PDB file of all heavy atoms in Angstrom:
ATOM      1  N   PRO B 749      23.065  77.264-112.347  1.00 97.00           N
ATOM      2  CA  PRO B 749      23.138  76.643-111.012  1.00 97.00           C
ATOM      3  C   PRO B 749      22.512  77.534-109.938  1.00 97.00           C
ATOM      4  O   PRO B 749      21.905  77.027-108.989  1.00 97.00           O
ATOM      5  CB  PRO B 749      24.640  76.495-110.764  1.00 97.00           C
ATOM      6  CG  PRO B 749      25.306  76.620-112.083  1.00 97.00           C
ATOM      7  CD  PRO B 749      24.387  77.385-112.991  1.00 97.00           C
ATOM      8  N   GLU B 750      22.613  78.861-110.111  1.00 96.00           N
ATOM      9  CA  GLU B 750      22.061  79.778-109.107  1.00 96.00           C
ATOM     10  C   GLU B 750      20.538  79.644-109.043  1.00 96.00           C
ATOM     11  O   GLU B 750      19.939  79.676-107.967  1.00 96.00           O
ATOM     12  CB  GLU B 750      22.440  81.234-109.433  1.00 96.00           C
ATOM     13  CG  GLU B 750      23.925  81.558-109.266  1.00 96.00           C
ATOM     14  CD  GLU B 750      24.812  80.979-110.363  1.00 96.00           C
ATOM     15  OE1 GLU B 750      24.302  80.743-111.493  1.00 96.00           O
ATOM     16  OE2 GLU B 750      26.009  80.740-110.101  1.00 96.00           O
ATOM     17  N   ARG B 751      19.927  79.501-110.202  1.00 97.00           N
ATOM     18  CA  ARG B 751      18.480  79.338-110.259  1.00 97.00           C
ATOM     19  C   ARG B 751      18.056  78.046-109.552  1.00 97.00           C
ATOM     20  O   ARG B 751      17.121  78.017-108.748  1.00 97.00           O
ATOM     21  CB  ARG B 751      18.051  79.333-111.737  1.00 97.00           C
ATOM     22  CG  ARG B 751      16.664  78.808-112.007  1.00 97.00           C
ATOM     23  CD  ARG B 751      15.634  79.793-111.480  1.00 97.00           C
ATOM     24  NE  ARG B 751      14.356  79.160-111.279  1.00 97.00           N
ATOM     25  CZ  ARG B 751      13.377  79.132-112.188  1.00 97.00           C
ATOM     26  NH1 ARG B 751      13.564  79.704-113.348  1.00 97.00           N
ATOM     27  NH2 ARG B 751      12.244  78.549-111.912  1.00 97.00           N
ATOM     28  N   VAL B 752      18.769  76.969-109.886  1.00 98.00           N
ATOM     29  CA  VAL B 752      18.453  75.679-109.272  1.00 98.00           C
ATOM     30  C   VAL B 752      18.663  75.759-107.760  1.00 98.00           C
ATOM     31  O   VAL B 752      17.851  75.264-106.971  1.00 98.00           O
ATOM     32  CB  VAL B 752      19.323  74.578-109.921  1.00 98.00           C
ATOM     33  CG1 VAL B 752      19.201  73.263-109.170  1.00 98.00           C
ATOM     34  CG2 VAL B 752      18.932  74.407-111.393  1.00 98.00           C
ATOM     35  N   ALA B 753      19.732  76.431-107.361  1.00 98.00           N
ATOM     36  CA  ALA B 753      20.030  76.552-105.935  1.00 98.00           C
ATOM     37  C   ALA B 753      18.905  77.257-105.189  1.00 98.00           C
ATOM     38  O   ALA B 753      18.488  76.823-104.111  1.00 98.00           O
ATOM     39  CB  ALA B 753      21.351  77.319-105.755  1.00 98.00           C
ATOM     40  N   ALA B 754      18.413  78.339-105.774  1.00 98.00           N
ATOM     41  CA  ALA B 754      17.334  79.080-105.108  1.00 98.00           C
ATOM     42  C   ALA B 754      16.093  78.190-104.976  1.00 98.00           C
ATOM     43  O   ALA B 754      15.423  78.190-103.938  1.00 98.00           O
ATOM     44  CB  ALA B 754      17.009  80.349-105.898  1.00 98.00           C
ATOM     45  N   ASP B 755      15.805  77.401-106.007  1.00 98.00           N
ATOM     46  CA  ASP B 755      14.665  76.482-105.943  1.00 98.00           C
ATOM     47  C   ASP B 755      14.861  75.433-104.848  1.00 98.00           C
ATOM     48  O   ASP B 755      13.923  75.045-104.159  1.00 98.00           O
ATOM     49  CB  ASP B 755      14.476  75.780-107.298  1.00 98.00           C
ATOM     50  CG  ASP B 755      13.835  76.700-108.336  1.00 98.00           C
ATOM     51  OD1 ASP B 755      13.424  77.824-107.968  1.00 98.00           O
ATOM     52  OD2 ASP B 755      13.746  76.293-109.510  1.00 98.00           O
ATOM     53  N   ILE B 756      16.099  74.950-104.722  1.00 98.00           N
ATOM     54  CA  ILE B 756      16.373  73.923-103.708  1.00 98.00           C
ATOM     55  C   ILE B 756      16.093  74.485-102.307  1.00 98.00           C
ATOM     56  O   ILE B 756      15.419  73.856-101.485  1.00 98.00           O
ATOM     57  CB  ILE B 756      17.830  73.411-103.809  1.00 98.00           C
ATOM     58  CG1 ILE B 756      18.018  72.630-105.123  1.00 98.00           C
ATOM     59  CG2 ILE B 756      18.191  72.534-102.596  1.00 98.00           C
ATOM     60  CD1 ILE B 756      19.438  72.154-105.379  1.00 98.00           C
ATOM     61  N   LEU B 757      16.586  75.697-102.049  1.00 98.00           N
ATOM     62  CA  LEU B 757      16.369  76.267-100.719  1.00 98.00           C
ATOM     63  C   LEU B 757      14.880  76.422-100.412  1.00 98.00           C
ATOM     64  O   LEU B 757      14.420  76.137 -99.309  1.00 98.00           O
ATOM     65  CB  LEU B 757      17.062  77.636-100.594  1.00 98.00           C
ATOM     66  CG  LEU B 757      18.280  77.581 -99.662  1.00 98.00           C
ATOM     67  CD1 LEU B 757      19.397  76.833-100.365  1.00 98.00           C
ATOM     68  CD2 LEU B 757      18.709  78.947 -99.220  1.00 98.00           C
TER      69      LEU B 757
END
Side-chain angles (χ1 to χ4, degrees):
Chain B
E750 291 74 25
R751 164 70 200 267
V752 171
D755 284 353
I756 292 176
L757 251 72

